Amino acid sequence: MNHLPLIIKREYFTKVKNKSFIIMTFLSPMIMIGLVAVVAYLTQLNNNSERSISILDESGQMASVFESTKNTKYVIFNHLSLDEAKTLTQVQENYGLLYIGKFDNLNSSQNVIKFYSEESPSISVIRGLESKLEKQLTDLKLESQGVDIEKIKTSKIDVAITQESFTGEKTSKVDSIVKLIFGGAAGYLLFMFIIIYGNMIMRSVIEEKTSRIIEIIISSVKPMQLMLGKIIGTSLAGVTQFVIWLILGGILITIISAIFGIDLMQAAPSGQLLSQAGNETAMPDLVQSGFQAFYNLPLTNLVLAFLMFFIGGYLLYSSLYAAIGAAVDNETDTQQFLFPILMPLILAVYIGFFTVIEDPHGTISTIFSFIPLTSPVVMLMRIPFGVPIWQQILSLLILIGTFMFTVWFAAKIYRVGILMYGKKPSYKEILKWMKY
């Protein structure tokens, strides 16, 4: 008799009815969104805070480049000594004092430029000041050499290369960024899903083994069915939890943004860089280009491939986690077996982020997208950049074949391991179990 549906149902409802599972399902997104909201709020406060910077320009050639902005006010000191400027800056509680001494040679001007402050200044503030000074000093040097600065400014031409395939399909830099984000998110999501719910399967097997419940269950259920039931049941529970996280997270983000007026994009590095660079006006065009690039993606292919490789990769690694859980008596003994399994997964993530992004169709990227232990992550990162269908199908068939083989030998380990107690297993011992 096929008991697989019953085992799947039992595993699923055992997980979703567990108090800790319910609490973490609703508490985790609240904590995460709360942390992001706090970071965004503090970043917003920092970006909106106005700082005053004193300028003492003894050279008489640099003060004109410092124009006050919304968040930065420049206070120009004239006819003061350096000590007087320092004292006045402290009295006025300004952020710091930029001192520009007299210089005869433009090449040595950097030796007489200093910034005084009570505490260590922000890197972005120093970088902004250096940028203004470098531009002004460069213009002064060009003028001293008889170069017309205005002619140089009017002769500058901005170039934006239009990207187009041989079939006439147009792309842009934004398209590449969207593909990179989509592929990276898909690969990293699978990586985290495998680790979180693979460990859940492993702990479930260990708990049933140590409580001796497994001895009763195994009397009426085949080891293969029991192992597959645990994998599928736990996977469905994980999917349920993940969907609740997405829905609850979206609701919380909307509520926080609407009620407290916190822009969660401020917590992202890209949002901070755009704000610091003064590119707020470019944001609408950038968002519009991003949406256009998203719609240009082969969404049907991406969704189907994501589901197939996601499921195949998760089932492959889950069977290994279940075999490890059956082989040991406690979680401490799992470390020696987990490392060889996690290595290919970690390698896949590194290859995805450092090789696929740079050259998605290169030799390394292509080879690792066919190796079963790395293909789920690497191929998911490659697909947004355009992978031939035959490569996707071949990689998927290899993955499915490897999964079937892995389930077969994992079931052999599972069959013997779940009834072994009191002995710390070794690789040699596990090889003997596979021969039984």
Side-chain angles (χ1 to χ4, degrees), residues 36 176 248 376 427:
V36 173
S176 299
L248 190 59
Y427 286 102

Side-chain angles (χ1 to χ4, degrees), residues 147-303:
V147 179
D148 191 339
I149 302 298
E150 290 302 320
K151 285 185 177 181
I152 292 178
K153 291 180 179 179
T154 56
S155 63
K156 284 185 177 180
I157 299 176
D158 295 326
V159 177
I161 299 176
T162 302
Q163 304 174 42
E164 186 173 335
S165 66
F166 288 110
T167 58
E169 182 182 354
K170 294 184 178 180
T171 60
S172 64
K173 288 182 287 186
V174 177
D175 289 74
S176 299
I177 294 172
V178 170
K179 292 174 182 177
L180 185 152
I181 293 173
F182 192 95
Y188 188 73
L189 181 63
L190 175 59
F191 173 77
M192 293 303 299
F193 201 89
I194 288 172
I195 291 179
I196 293 172
Y197 295 103
N199 275 288
M200 187 182 293
I201 292 171
M202 185 179 67
R203 284 194 296 268
S204 175
V205 175
I206 294 174
E207 287 173 5
E208 289 186 352
K209 180 180 176 180
T210 53
S211 63
R212 300 298 178 96
I213 296 175
I214 200 75
E215 296 178 4
I216 301 173
I217 298 175
I218 206 67
S219 63
S220 57
V221 179
K222 293 180 180 180
M224 174 75 80
Q225 292 181 355
L226 183 58
M227 187 179 74
L228 286 177
K230 283 188 170 295
I231 292 172
I232 298 173
T234 304
S235 302
L236 292 175
V239 170
T240 303
Q241 188 178 54
F242 186 71
V243 170
I244 294 174
W245 283 350
L246 288 178
I247 296 173
L248 190 59
I251 294 172
L252 289 174
I253 289 174
T254 304
I255 292 173
I256 290 174
S257 300
I259 296 178
F260 299 101
I262 299 174
D263 184 8
L264 297 183
M265 285 297 293
Q266 290 290 335
S270 56
Q272 296 180 33
L273 290 173
L274 283 171
S275 299
Q276 292 173 4
N279 289 336
E280 293 87 347
T281 56
M283 281 298 292
D285 293 336
L286 186 63
V287 172
Q288 184 177 358
S289 300
F291 278 113
Q292 185 62 42
F294 177 77
Y295 289 123
N296 289 338
L297 293 173
L299 295 178
T300 304
N301 180 19
L302 287 173
V303 172

Side-chain angles (χ1 to χ4, degrees), residues 40-51 71 122 124 272 276:
Y41 177 71
L42 295 176
T43 304
Q44 193 168 304
L45 282 179
N46 184 60
N47 290 338
N48 292 336
S49 61
E50 182 178 321
R51 58 169 62 97
N71 297 325
S122 167
S124 60
Q272 296 180 33
Q276 292 173 4

Side-chain angles (χ1 to χ4, degrees), residues 406-432:
T406 304
V407 168
W408 172 75
F409 84 77
K412 294 175 74 69
I413 298 173
Y414 191 90
R415 180 182 61 186
V416 180
I418 53 178
L419 300 176
M420 291 289 183
Y421 301 95
K423 183 179 180 182
K424 189 174 182 180
S426 63
Y427 286 102
K428 185 177 179 181
E429 191 77 19
I430 291 176
L431 289 175
K432 287 182 181 180

